[in-house]
Amino acid sequence: PVHCGWSSWTAWTPCDQTCGTGLHERFRSPNNPPASNGGQLCVGFSRQVETCVLTQCPVDGNWSPWTTWTECSQSCVGGSRYRQRTCDSPAPEYGGLTLNVTSPPSPEECPPGMEYVGEESCGTTCPRTCAELSSQVMCTSECLDGCRCPHGKLLQDEVCIDPAECRCYYEGREYDIGAVIKVEPCQNCTCIQGNMVCSQDPCPGRSCGWSHWTPWSDCSVTCSNGTQYRYRTCSNPPPPEGCQGDAEEHTSCDAGPCVYDGNWSPWSPWTSCSKTCDMGFTARHRECNNPPPSNGGAYCVGLGSEAKTCTLEECPVPQCENITGSFFDECGPSCPRSCEDIEHCYWSCEPGCYCPEGLVLNENRTACVQPAECYCLDVETDKRYPPGATIQKNCNECVCQNGRFECTDEPCPIDGDWCPWTNWMGCTRTCGFSMQHRYRTCSCPEPAHGGAMCQGTQTTAMGIGIQKEMSSCDVPTLCPTDGHWSPWSTWSGCQECVPGSETRTRTCTNPPPENNGQPCQGTSTQSRTCHLDPVEYKTCVGGKVYQTCPQQCPRTCGDLQDGVTCETTACVPDCGCPEGQVDLGGVCVLLSG
């Protein structure tokens, strides 16, 4: 009897991963020699599988969430606050990309419309951005190398613009040009050239009692669209009848796009068995697109394809003379033994017709051929292609060579697509005309590897395309206008010789009350008593003259005597001595005489 002996092991197959840890395998055949004439069968396994450890996969760096804003550095106008983030979620490792926004660009890297300025020629640095026009934003004068807008231009949304086009930053929010907000019951602020200009007119009448609004709260979510709140109290001071208006306001806020990790699609159906009898293999695949990773999310974990054996009924014993170049063997050589075995092979000891070393059975098992003559199987479509055929898999080209597809391994371009629109923002007024805006980002997914930017992109920030829409707010009513008095008219004048009064008037037209505004407080008419002359003048003698209000003390020579007190009388029209003279026995004499 001839006992079975194993052939030498084949070389290890390539690792099924390009980095990290994967699997590879090798095979041997029980044909060196095969057992015959009652000899013992080979003991052991025809297939070995081991892990293969390659270099660590690159890990690209990603930003941590922003920290909360620090406390303001000042208790009133002119302070600043900060927040920060770090590139450690995860940190870049093994050659992965680093998110670096701190190193200054070289002169040739400045975006269009900006110019490189070195530290030695920086000059005056403030303001550099539209936000720094605000009295609530502190602009530091530190001068560093980097890209700057040309003189007379300021940076907004990564674009250099004229100051007159700048939006305004006020109380932690941004407002469009011309936007008007009410900060007190009788005080409005208007966005003009990047700064909020507020009226200083005092409230007419009493104080309404509201305190100042608190700062806006943090956004209620950490990504996507949420809500912010602010509050005030009726305590400044509390009027008896209470305050008119709301003690709470809310507005929408956008906390940036959410990070989505990739998730596998469902598995495809298993392909048909690669053989029509005995043992073959079948495969299935899946895609990391349910959803695809976006905004820095992680790629799917696991394999995108699986294969397993499929065992059918035994093949009929072939007549080897009918298969060109084959010979009969009780067990068969090591893998591959046929064109079907080149891509995936599961060895087993089977009697049959086999080819000499270096040749394999063709697809219809009629002849031994070179592997270069074998068709290639695309496991995703379950189709076979002739030698030299080229197919496209995503953006890579695959050529049928030696019974298997050899594919390029280039990263495929990913075209950008728009994320959902944010909620409308900016309608803080309850009446009158104002504008609202919303925006969306080209990051669902973000363009990668040369993929196209979303159509309609208006500007970019940190390389992400942004599109913005503006619309008038749907406010149903006009704002109420409280009435104010016009200036008083001149007095009407008195009628001669008739006792009475004179009047003056004013009207509630400066402006008049409109749209349920409050009417003017107070009266529209004032009056006062007239002081009249007598109807007929007296005939004055002794040098006296008629006066509407004769001279007061002293009036006579007697008023000049010691011990005499001269009393001032009411002003009554009568005859009296001219100024500088006094009455002496009915005749006016000089006071000095």
Side-chain angles (χ1 to χ4, degrees):
V2 178
H3 299 304
C4 172
W6 288 106
S7 68
S8 300
W9 286 103
T10 64
W12 288 101
T13 61
C15 195
D16 63 359
Q17 300 293 325
T18 58
C19 63
T21 302
L23 297 174
H24 64 173
E25 54 190 356
R26 65 177 183 174
F27 306 91
R28 62 179 178 176
S29 300
N31 62 357
N32 190 33
S36 61
N37 303 321
Q40 295 180 353
L41 297 176
C42 287
V43 177
F45 298 98
S46 62
R47 174 172 175 256
Q48 277 187 340
V49 179
E50 285 187 355
T51 58
C52 42
V53 180
L54 305 175
T55 57
Q56 292 283 358
C57 294
V59 177
D60 292 341
N62 197 26
W63 288 117
S64 69
W66 285 104
T67 63
T68 56
W69 287 100
T70 62
E71 293 294 328
C72 195
S73 61
Q74 300 291 334
S75 59
C76 55
V77 174
S80 61
R81 54 180 180 167
Y82 306 91
R83 63 177 182 174
Q84 62 183 13
R85 57 181 179 175
T86 54
C87 184
D88 60 0
S89 293
E93 292 184 288
Y94 315 118
L97 297 176
T98 300
L99 296 177
N100 184 5
V101 297
T102 58
S103 59
S106 60
E108 59 272 11
E109 292 176 332
C110 285
M114 302 186 76
E115 57 188 24
Y116 181 84
V117 179
E119 182 176 357
E120 70 283 349
S121 59
C122 182
T124 301
T125 59
C126 291
R128 295 174 296 246
T129 67
C130 285
E132 291 169 346
L133 290 174
S134 171
S135 60
Q136 297 184 334
V137 176
M138 182 176 68
C139 176
T140 60
S141 59
E142 183 180 7
C143 196
L144 300 174
D145 293 357
C147 297
R148 299 279 189 275
C149 289
H151 180 70
K153 301 282 188 178
L154 297 176
L155 188 65
Q156 179 175 273
D157 297 333
E158 305 300 320
V159 178
C160 296
I161 62 174
D162 292 327
E165 303 174 33
C166 286
R167 297 191 296 271
C168 297
Y169 183 86
Y170 184 78
E171 295 293 346
R173 297 191 60 199
E174 219 175 36
Y175 295 90
D176 292 317
I177 303 168
V180 179
I181 60 172
K182 179 172 284 190
V183 293
E184 292 294 339
C186 56
Q187 185 183 41
N188 292 339
C189 294
T190 306
C191 176
I192 301 175
Q193 296 190 10
N195 197 21
M196 276 294 184
V197 179
C198 301
S199 62
Q200 300 299 321
D201 297 332
C203 293
R206 62 169 180 82
S207 168
C208 74
W210 285 116
S211 67
H212 290 289
W213 285 104
T214 65
W216 287 102
S217 67
D218 291 334
C219 198
S220 60
V221 295
T222 57
C223 67
S224 190
N225 301 319
T227 307
Q228 288 176 290
Y229 298 89
R230 66 175 184 174
Y231 307 91
R232 59 180 179 175
T233 58
C234 187
S235 59
N236 188 33
E241 67 275 20
C243 297
Q244 299 296 316
D246 297 324
E248 174 188 311
E249 281 188 348
H250 66 272
T251 185
S252 57
C253 54
D254 177 47
C258 294
V259 175
Y260 295 104
D261 294 338
N263 193 38
W264 289 113
S265 68
W267 285 103
S268 69
W270 289 99
T271 62
S272 58
C273 195
S274 62
K275 292 188 178 181
T276 57
C277 59
D278 289 339
M279 182 180 290
F281 78 92
T282 181
R284 64 178 183 173
H285 69 281
R286 59 183 177 174
E287 301 288 340
C288 186
N289 61 2
N290 187 37
S294 61
N295 304 322
Y299 196 77
C300 301
V301 176
L303 298 176
S305 61
E306 284 184 345
K308 65 179 181 179
T309 59
C310 45
T311 303
L312 306 175
E313 62 183 16
E314 291 186 0
C315 292
V317 178
Q319 301 295 319
C320 294
E321 60 270 17
N322 295 333
I323 302 175
T324 304
S326 69
F327 63 91
F328 181 81
D329 191 270
E330 290 287 345
C331 213
S334 60
C335 291
R337 295 184 275 195
S338 67
C339 287
E340 290 93 338
D341 293 343
I342 291 177
E343 185 67 36
H344 291 280
C345 182
Y346 296 90
W347 190 92
S348 63
C349 181
E350 301 172 5
C353 298
Y354 297 101
C355 296
E357 186 176 356
L359 300 178
V360 293
L361 288 171
N362 62 7
E363 287 78 4
N364 53 17
R365 297 180 178 271
T366 60
C368 292
V369 297
Q370 295 286 340
E373 301 177 57
C374 290
Y375 277 55
C376 298
L377 174 66
D378 179 11
V379 296
E380 294 182 6
T381 61
D382 203 22
K383 293 182 179 179
R384 294 186 179 277
Y385 294 85
T390 300
I391 63 173
Q392 199 76 19
K393 285 189 175 293
N394 295 324
C395 64
N396 284 290
E397 192 175 80
C398 300
V399 181
C400 178
Q401 295 178 347
N402 297 319
R404 70 171 68 196
F405 280 110
E406 300 293 339
C407 301
T408 57
D409 190 23
E410 297 296 328
C412 294
I414 300 174
D415 291 341
D417 199 7
W418 290 114
C419 295
W421 286 101
T422 64
N423 292 332
W424 287 103
M425 294 176 286
C427 285
T428 58
R429 304 184 64 186
T430 58
C431 61
F433 178 79
S434 62
M435 297 294 291
Q436 61 182 346
H437 67 273
R438 65 176 182 173
Y439 70 90
R440 59 180 179 174
T441 58
C442 182
S443 55
C444 291
E446 186 178 340
H449 311 304
M453 183 68 77
C454 299
Q455 288 190 352
T457 296
Q458 297 167 334
T459 185
T460 59
M462 299 294 291
I464 296 177
I466 298 173
Q467 189 178 54
K468 184 175 181 180
E469 279 189 348
M470 298 191 68
S471 173
S472 59
C473 296
D474 186 17
V475 179
T477 59
L478 297 174
C479 290
T481 301
D482 293 341
H484 283 269
W485 290 113
S486 67
W488 286 104
S489 67
T490 56
W491 288 100
S492 62
C494 295
Q495 297 183 10
E496 275 190 303
C497 306
V498 177
S501 61
E502 57 180 345
T503 61
R504 65 175 182 176
T505 59
R506 58 180 179 176
T507 57
C508 189
T509 57
N510 188 35
E514 293 182 332
N515 308 316
N516 296 319
Q518 295 293 319
C520 298
Q521 301 296 314
T523 61
S524 61
T525 304
Q526 282 184 342
S527 64
R528 66 182 182 184
T529 303
C530 292
H531 294 285
L532 302 178
D533 295 335
V535 176
E536 295 193 17
Y537 297 127
K538 292 182 179 180
T539 302
C540 299
V541 296
K544 296 181 181 180
V545 294
Y546 183 81
Q547 299 174 356
T548 57
C549 190
Q551 122 184 28
Q552 296 299 313
C553 294
R555 291 185 292 274
T556 66
C557 288
D559 293 336
L560 300 175
Q561 300 296 319
D562 292 336
V564 176
T565 300
C566 178
E567 294 183 358
T568 301
T569 61
C571 188
V572 177
D574 200 353
C575 294
C577 290
E579 186 177 357
Q581 297 182 25
V582 292
D583 187 339
L584 177 60
V587 177
C588 294
V589 295
L590 292 174
L591 184 60
S592 59

